[in-house]
Amino acid sequence: METKKNSFEQGALILIVTGIISKTMGALYRIPLTNILGVEGIGMYQIVLSFLLLALALSSNYIPATMSKCIGFLSSKDNKVATNRIFKAQTVLCLISTLLISAFLLIFAKQIANFQDKSEIYLSYFILIPTIILSGIKSIYKGIFLGNRKMIIPSVSQLLEEIFKVAVSLTFAYYGAKTSTIAAVNGALIGLIAGEIAGVVFFFIYKKINFKNTKTNNNFVIMDLKLLSSQSFPIMISSIVFPIVTFIDSLLIVKLLILNGNSAQSAISQYGLLQGPTYSLIHLPIMIATSIALAVVPVLSSLFSNKSVKTIKEKSSESIKICLLLVIPAALGLLVLIRPIMQALYPKIDNKSIDLCINMFALSSINIILLSLYEIFSSIMQGINLSSFVMKTIIFCTIIKLISEIILVHFWGIFGAIASNILMYVLAVCICSIKYRALLGSNKDLIGKIAKIVFASLIMAIAVYFSTKISSNNILTITIGILTGITIYLFLIVFIKIYSISEISKTLFNSQKYKS
């Protein structure tokens, strides 16, 4: 059956562009927020935020991927019927998870704050409750539109959410700071609620206009509860692994560094530089892979339901190619420009700490490519009903990572923690790529395209390196480097035939037909 839909490439592009804008806004927002809250305040804010990330991973982060997959699977007959069926079933499951976590916070907020040696932040945990509930509702709507491949709607919602969050957080934090530090922290957290409200309201209005109520038999809802439950569990486990690992690392790495002879202050500083300046830059390009992963799940799920093996192979190969086309040059470009970027972003950090950040980034930069590949491979597996395989893979790799971390930190200090992360993602990518090849076979054309992408990226990186010698001003160096890199890379994409001009034009401006 041939249906005219927005192409997968267009959907991924929309999510990528929106993600870049949102990430940039988020990064800029942190600068005035840190100035308002101060060192102690931003520390308390991060403590509360780390728990929120864990709570969202448990309650709602997995919902968009699960819903888009299930809608894609059921939509071969009737898209609106499938959407309404999944919407009802997911609403029930979401209410259960968000209310359970909210109840946990109501009961144990004081105990959590006391355990973290910050008893004054227990009220901050109560502020998280509306955010958790609203985020669950927003995730349901997001899953609806991703499942129906309407990528621009979640993108607009994401931008609205970021705008309201920034405006309200900074305003309330500013006036709260006149009273106390904790009042400023709570004001910043209220901004998170405002952002979620903006996203939910936009989704609700748009769905009300474009998705009229469709009658569904209650038996369908019960059946869909079973379908969603079976699909949600492995995806949820996979998504919760990273927040748990981050939480364990926050306890483990500092203690291991202290046992290795570092002072407590030095250990905390090293961990802070790793998680802050270093990893914030590492995760920026990975957003590209996350956007592509969200776009590819409903496409592959729909194709899988119709047993379109050939098209599944084509779409999955295309997602890998697009991911590496963007991620490899981003990784190499950041690596070459890392010194002026660090000096421009963190002028108050001393030179010794900047040098440490640069060295940590140099070692960590391979994770940009590895984690991006894992994101794509895991989304492909989820799209073809292999979520449990992804879950088992990431759990196994996490166990290996934690064991190796204990050993490697003893010998290499903070760089041992980075090496254990690299080992984790190398294993995950190797296991997933072996499974991918076993299912869909090898693809010589894809391998050839990847070789061309690596070649073009290396040429671009060399050109960017020489461009950094033009000026000693950090901002000017970064600007010249980015413009040089983009110009040369775009030329090479066309010149060595990674993408033709007509393919680029088609991806950017046209819809395409595909068999589903």
Side-chain angles (χ1 to χ4, degrees), residues 1-3 303 308 311 513-516:
M1 179 179 176
E2 197 166 313
T3 312
L303 294 170
S308 304
T311 316
K513 295 181 179 182
Y514 70 93
K515 291 182 180 181
S516 62

Side-chain angles (χ1 to χ4, degrees), residues 487-507:
T487 303
I488 290 176
Y489 191 63
L490 286 175
F491 169 76
L492 288 171
I493 284 174
V494 177
F495 184 73
I496 63 177
K497 298 179 181 178
I498 299 172
Y499 261 105
S500 67
I501 293 175
S502 62
E503 284 178 317
I504 295 172
S505 176
K506 186 175 182 180
T507 297

Side-chain angles (χ1 to χ4, degrees), residues 471-490:
S471 173
S472 58
N473 179 276
N474 289 325
I475 302 297
L476 190 57
T477 299
I478 295 166
T479 304
I480 293 170
I482 291 172
L483 292 174
T484 301
I486 291 173
T487 303
I488 290 176
Y489 191 63
L490 286 175

Side-chain angles (χ1 to χ4, degrees), residues 231-244:
Q231 297 296 334
S232 295
F233 181 73
I235 295 176
M236 182 189 73
I237 296 299
S238 300
S239 67
I240 199 177
V241 166
F242 292 117
I244 290 176

Side-chain angles (χ1 to χ4, degrees), residues 165-354:
K165 182 191 80 173
V166 170
V168 176
S169 285
L170 293 179
T171 302
F172 277 63
Y174 175 78
Y175 286 105
K178 295 181 178 181
T179 305
S180 65
T181 300
I182 191 63
V185 171
N186 291 338
L189 293 172
I190 289 171
L192 301 180
I193 301 174
E196 297 296 338
I197 290 173
V200 169
V201 169
F202 174 77
F203 274 136
F204 178 79
I205 293 171
Y206 191 93
K207 182 182 181 293
K208 204 73 176 173
I209 295 170
N210 291 274
F211 290 90
K212 304 299 181 183
N213 289 330
T214 305
K215 293 182 179 180
T216 56
N217 191 298
N218 287 333
N219 292 330
F220 285 162
V221 177
I222 294 169
M223 180 185 73
D224 295 331
L225 278 171
K226 293 177 181 178
L227 174 63
L228 277 168
S229 298
S230 64
Q231 297 296 334
S232 295
F233 181 73
I235 295 176
M236 182 189 73
I237 296 299
S238 300
S239 67
I240 199 177
V241 166
F242 292 117
I244 290 176
V245 168
T246 302
F247 179 73
I248 293 173
D249 277 350
S250 69
L251 302 174
L252 186 61
I253 292 174
V254 172
K255 291 188 182 297
L256 289 171
L257 289 172
I258 293 171
L259 289 173
N260 210 28
N262 293 274
S263 66
Q265 184 179 359
S266 173
I268 293 169
S269 297
Q270 289 180 57
Y271 179 74
L273 291 171
L274 177 64
Q275 289 292 333
T278 306
Y279 278 175
S280 62
L281 285 174
I282 291 290
H283 285 103
L284 192 60
I286 293 170
M287 171 275 307
I288 295 169
T290 304
S291 300
I292 296 170
L294 281 172
V296 78
V297 169
V299 174
L300 293 183
S301 183
S302 179
L303 294 170
F304 180 76
S305 68
N306 290 287
K307 298 180 172 59
S308 304
V309 178
K310 183 181 178 181
T311 316
I312 287 173
K313 186 174 181 178
E314 290 173 359
K315 287 295 176 185
S316 58
S317 296
E318 189 69 12
S319 67
I320 295 169
K321 185 178 83 169
I322 294 173
C323 173
L324 295 180
L325 181 74
L326 299 172
V327 166
I328 292 177
L332 291 177
L334 281 171
L335 184 60
V336 174
L337 293 171
I338 188 60
R339 182 170 292 277
I341 288 173
M342 283 290 183
Q343 290 174 340
L345 289 178
Y346 305 100
K348 294 184 179 180
I349 296 181
D350 60 89
N351 289 332
K352 185 179 178 181
S353 296
I354 287 288

